[in-house]
Amino acid sequence: MHWSNTSLLTTQLSKIFKLLIEESFPDLSQDQIAQVLEVTVSKQAGHGHYQCNSALKLSKLVKDNPRSVANKLLLKPSSLIESCEVAGPGFINITISKAFLEKELNKLLKDQRLGISATNHPKRVIVEFSSPNTAKELHVGHLRSTIIGDCLSRLFEFLGHDVLRLNHIGNWGTPFGMLIHYLKTKHPKVLTGEEKTDLTHLALWYKESRVLFDNDEKFKKSSQAQVIKLQAHEPEAILAWKKICEISRVGYQEIYDLLDVKITERGESFYHDLLEQIVDLFEKKNLVKISNGAKCVFLDDFTSKVGSPLPIIIQKSDGGYNYSSTDLSALFQRINEEKADRIIYVVDNGQSLHFQMVFKAAQLAGYYNPCKTDVDHVPFGLVLGSDGKKFKTRSGDSEKLIDLLKKSIAKATHIINERDTPSLDVEQTAKVLGINAVKYADLSSLRTKDYTFSYEKMLQFEGNTAAFLLYAYVRIVSIQTKANFKLQSLLSSQIVLTEPSETELALSIIQLREILESVAHSLLPNRLCDYLYQLAEKFHSFFRDCQVLNADEQNSRLLLCELVKRAFEIGFSILGLQTVTKM
Ligand code: ARG
């Protein structure tokens, strides 16, 4: 399935090379051609703008040496191609013509979205992310899910899809019996609303109730009785449960507001009327086996470490439902009621097996068909401290997310004060820099790997950081202000590329489309970060090499800057980064 609708230079070049291969090697089948066809963006300077790697693979098929094959595939100069050369063992380097780049850029001037139009065929995309557990604080593990999930949602929204952002909060099950019983005996006024409290207290009480549950038989019995009342929807129990959810919600919202993340709460409890029906469905299909009293579905290809078959438990021996039953129901609801075309679960690496089993079981039960719905678990690694272990506070507790964000803002405040920029709104700027830094550090590292959290590194103004990117952006704003830039009055001028650093920038602006497409496909936000980092570096080179104000090329260069600014704005808005105009 394609997730954006743009015509891309790589696609265009691929088509040209395909024709050329067909003509030069008429004996090859279409399958063979598809296998060897490969056009990529050149990663190194001095190797052209694009690179075709087909000659190396072709040489084996046609039994000729790669350089001689490559020589047969050289493109002639045209309105698109400036030059095309064989390099190294048989790479083909393609340089795009300046005239083509200029023409494209001048077209883009009239388009705030830089030619990346919203799709005419919007898909229903569900992005599930954040998903903390009620009565527990959000910790740094939830940070990644929240930031990555928000970024992917923003990307699909930008591409014109119909996105539903879901917070699958853990808000149902045994822990609530425990906590309700605890609060009823120790803090009854909290449950009636007479005593105000917050998530921090709730989380502490949750821990205390857990200790009592594990050590005090009487407490345990009463808690279990409380769960039964809750599951039977007794009004008093439901009221207490709602209160607990409400207190938690206020705590979460503070973080979402600070991060500027919008999300719809749809917790586990939402699916509980469906659970029985889903278990029935598996039973009707004869997929259920009883093992130790529990209803299990055994899946081919899933075995434990010792090689015994590994089941997914869909109903516990006491008749209760579990995490898997809820996920099986949620998938059913999302496919059948929400009519999702694509479902994305942004959840840590540790839950990969769980999701594989859920998806496989839903397929067996016949309600999920991978040819019709794209369902992806989007896993991510741990956040590590400088000691290489799971990120913790000095006292060894896992760091609360709210504290971490506030600390980053405080550190940003300190840095800004030291830089002493005149007439700067320190508080506002520090908030933007502090939050941007945390988000960007996460998004710019390869999602599937663990990453090391360091305030010092993420808040630097040099290197692949949010501040470095923002600095390039602020520079453009400042040039525009100095020039009293008004787009309308310059639209009769044209962009003309004279210096190599201008051509480099031009190429980057045009490539934003391919980058977004590749992120929508791979779900790897670091690709967009790498792109923006390069854009910032190229912009700084341009700024060093080319005079803008009072140069003969002033109008052209101001227009070029304007396009770079838009590329940053699109990139920042997809990454969820805020901008400032001064720093
Ligand atoms: N609440 C879970 C946790 O904190 C994450 C939920 C992930 N989503 C899901 N559909 N299972 O670990």
Side-chain angles (χ1 to χ4, degrees):
M1 225 181 269
H2 268 280
W3 293 96
S4 94
N5 60 344
T6 51
S7 111
L8 308 166
L9 266 181
T10 9
T11 319
Q12 217 169 319
L13 290 170
S14 296
K15 279 189 192 148
I16 298 176
F17 277 106
K18 182 164 180 273
L19 286 176
L20 207 55
I21 295 172
E22 283 168 354
E23 268 170 34
S24 313
F25 306 99
D27 295 340
L28 294 180
S29 70
Q30 286 298 316
D31 269 1
Q32 286 175 311
I33 296 179
Q35 270 169 30
V36 297
L37 195 63
E38 189 186 322
V39 177
T40 59
V41 174
S42 295
K43 299 229 159 48
Q44 274 171 296
H47 289 246
H49 299 144
Y50 287 84
Q51 192 173 307
C52 170
N53 304 330
S54 302
L56 297 151
K57 292 181 187 161
L58 262 173
S59 68
K60 293 189 192 102
L61 289 179
V62 301
K63 311 236 168 358
D64 191 358
N65 80 69
R67 280 190 71 96
S68 129
V69 172
N71 272 306
K72 296 194 177 118
L73 299 179
L74 287 181
L75 306 179
K76 301 208 172 52
S78 66
S79 57
L80 175 66
I81 309 293
E82 172 100 23
S83 63
C84 180
E85 287 162 2
V86 178
F91 298 112
I92 303 167
N93 294 340
I94 306 123
T95 303
I96 302 296
S97 86
K98 228 187 255 183
F100 175 84
L101 293 173
E102 286 171 348
K103 203 174 95 213
E104 288 294 301
L105 291 190
N106 285 312
K107 268 197 276 178
L108 293 186
L109 282 171
K110 291 178 202 76
D111 184 359
Q112 285 298 331
R113 295 177 55 107
L114 296 181
I116 311 163
S117 50
T119 175
N120 294 323
H121 307 283
K123 303 271 184 212
R124 178 88 164 142
V125 183
I126 294 183
V127 186
E128 189 214 278
F129 63 97
S130 200
S131 309
N133 294 323
T134 298
K136 289 193 193 165
E137 303 258 17
L138 277 157
H139 56 77
V140 42
H142 295 110
L143 176 72
R144 299 209 73 184
S145 175
T146 308
I147 292 175
I148 297 167
D150 179 53
C151 168
L152 296 177
S153 305
R154 285 168 183 268
L155 172 66
F156 288 112
E157 283 156 2
F158 182 78
L159 296 177
H161 297 292
D162 170 19
V163 178
L164 177 62
R165 302 154 162 253
L166 289 183
N167 199 354
H168 190 78
I169 294 189
N171 63 1
W172 200 248
T174 354
F176 287 94
M178 206 171 78
L179 187 57
I180 294 173
H181 179 59
Y182 178 90
L183 291 176
K184 262 176 95 172
T185 45
K186 309 253 176 182
H187 303 277
K189 288 193 170 148
V190 166
L191 291 180
T192 57
E194 287 161 274
E195 185 186 326
K196 296 273 166 273
T197 188
D198 58 16
L199 180 57
T200 305
H201 286 89
L202 202 61
L204 280 176
W205 295 330
Y206 176 84
K207 279 189 193 149
E208 280 172 28
S209 69
R210 164 68 60 194
V211 174
L212 285 172
F213 187 87
D214 290 339
N215 297 300
D216 178 341
E217 211 37 53
K218 213 171 127 223
F219 183 90
K220 189 172 179 174
K221 282 241 153 65
S222 312
S223 299
Q224 283 163 339
Q226 201 48 251
V227 179
I228 293 171
K229 284 185 188 162
L230 185 62
Q231 275 162 354
H233 290 248
E234 276 191 22
E236 197 201 19
I238 289 289
L239 228 65
W241 170 73
K242 281 194 174 153
K243 192 82 221 163
I244 292 169
C245 292
E246 176 53 32
I247 298 165
S248 306
R249 191 174 296 129
V250 172
Y252 302 148
Q253 197 54 46
E254 188 187 3
I255 292 173
Y256 298 141
D257 287 346
L258 202 52
L259 288 172
D260 185 27
V261 166
K262 305 227 167 11
I263 188 162
T264 302
E265 178 180 326
R266 190 179 283 176
E268 294 179 358
S269 64
F270 180 87
Y271 304 97
H272 69 354
D273 289 342
L274 252 180
L275 296 164
E276 206 182 304
Q277 188 189 325
I278 293 297
V279 173
D280 276 356
L281 184 75
F282 279 92
E283 287 191 311
K284 284 208 187 88
K285 300 236 165 182
N286 280 327
L287 294 167
V288 177
K289 289 209 173 71
I290 306 290
S291 171
N292 292 331
K295 291 184 185 163
C296 297
V297 177
F298 284 88
L299 307 164
D300 294 343
D301 307 332
F302 289 93
T303 47
S304 72
K305 281 193 189 114
V306 292
S308 52
L310 202 61
I312 177 165
I313 300 175
I314 62 171
Q315 191 170 10
K316 296 187 286 183
S317 56
D318 65 4
Y321 299 97
N322 62 9
Y323 192 57
S324 298
S325 356
T326 306
D327 265 326
L328 286 167
S329 305
L331 184 55
F332 182 89
Q333 196 272 344
R334 290 167 187 180
I335 292 173
N336 291 302
E337 286 171 33
E338 294 298 343
K339 310 265 182 253
D341 296 301
R342 187 171 191 177
I343 309 173
I344 290 170
Y345 294 79
V346 189
V347 184
D348 63 274
N349 282 341
Q351 300 199 30
S352 292
L353 182 63
H354 164 74
F355 283 110
Q356 280 171 30
M357 293 180 85
V358 166
F359 300 161
K360 184 79 201 190
Q363 228 176 306
L364 272 183
Y367 63 84
Y368 158 46
N369 175 353
C371 300
K372 286 200 186 133
T373 318
D374 285 335
V375 178
D376 286 301
H377 170 217
V378 173
F380 53 83
L382 296 173
V383 183
L384 304 176
S386 53
D387 55 359
K389 298 204 183 101
K390 235 176 158 171
F391 190 75
K392 293 260 160 76
T393 58
R394 255 180 240 156
S395 63
D397 294 329
S398 74
E399 177 95 44
K400 284 199 290 176
L401 192 43
I402 193 78
D403 293 344
L404 178 140
L405 296 175
K406 285 183 177 162
K407 227 184 259 178
S408 183
I409 296 174
K411 293 199 189 252
T413 311
H414 182 74
I415 292 172
I416 294 169
N417 280 332
E418 279 196 333
R419 289 170 67 93
D420 198 18
T421 313
S423 68
L424 188 72
D425 181 340
V426 175
E427 198 180 322
Q428 170 59 14
T429 315
K431 194 174 153 200
V432 170
L433 290 190
I435 299 293
N436 277 0
V438 172
K439 286 190 179 184
Y440 190 80
D442 194 315
L443 293 170
S444 60
S445 41
L446 181 62
R447 141 170 92 58
T448 46
K449 293 259 159 64
D450 297 346
Y451 91 95
T452 305
F453 191 94
S454 155
Y455 292 111
E456 280 62 40
K457 243 177 97 189
M458 67 177 68
L459 283 162
Q460 269 166 17
F461 279 57
E462 289 299 325
N464 190 6
T465 64
F468 180 70
L469 303 190
L470 205 50
Y471 191 64
Y473 177 82
V474 166
R475 232 178 196 179
I476 300 176
V477 174
S478 130
I479 298 170
Q480 291 190 334
T481 315
K482 278 194 197 131
N484 194 15
F485 174 78
K486 295 223 167 45
L487 181 64
Q488 280 311 320
S489 55
L490 287 190
L491 278 181
S492 54
S493 307
Q494 296 273 309
I495 295 181
V496 180
L497 304 167
T498 49
E499 294 296 321
S501 58
E502 291 180 292
T503 310
E504 285 297 311
L505 263 185
L507 196 69
S508 280
I509 292 165
I510 286 170
Q511 284 169 345
L512 176 60
R513 298 192 286 186
E514 344 207 10
I515 297 298
L516 296 190
E517 169 123 332
S518 110
V519 180
H521 185 77
S522 64
L523 306 175
L524 291 173
N526 64 299
R527 294 193 178 170
L528 177 55
C529 298
D530 290 343
Y531 165 86
L532 292 171
Y533 179 44
Q534 277 186 23
L535 184 67
E537 289 211 306
K538 286 180 180 180
F539 177 74
H540 289 306
S541 307
F542 157 80
F543 195 69
R544 192 190 52 221
D545 298 347
C546 303
Q547 187 185 339
V548 178
L549 301 178
N550 304 320
D552 290 346
E553 301 85 352
Q554 170 164 322
N555 285 357
S556 164
R557 287 182 178 160
L558 280 174
L559 290 171
L560 185 61
C561 287
E562 168 65 16
L563 293 182
V564 177
K565 183 171 163 230
R566 285 184 210 166
F568 275 128
E569 281 167 352
I570 292 172
F572 290 162
S573 77
I574 290 173
L575 296 177
L577 306 181
Q578 308 255 329
T579 55
V580 290
T581 49
K582 210 175 187 182
M583 64 193 267

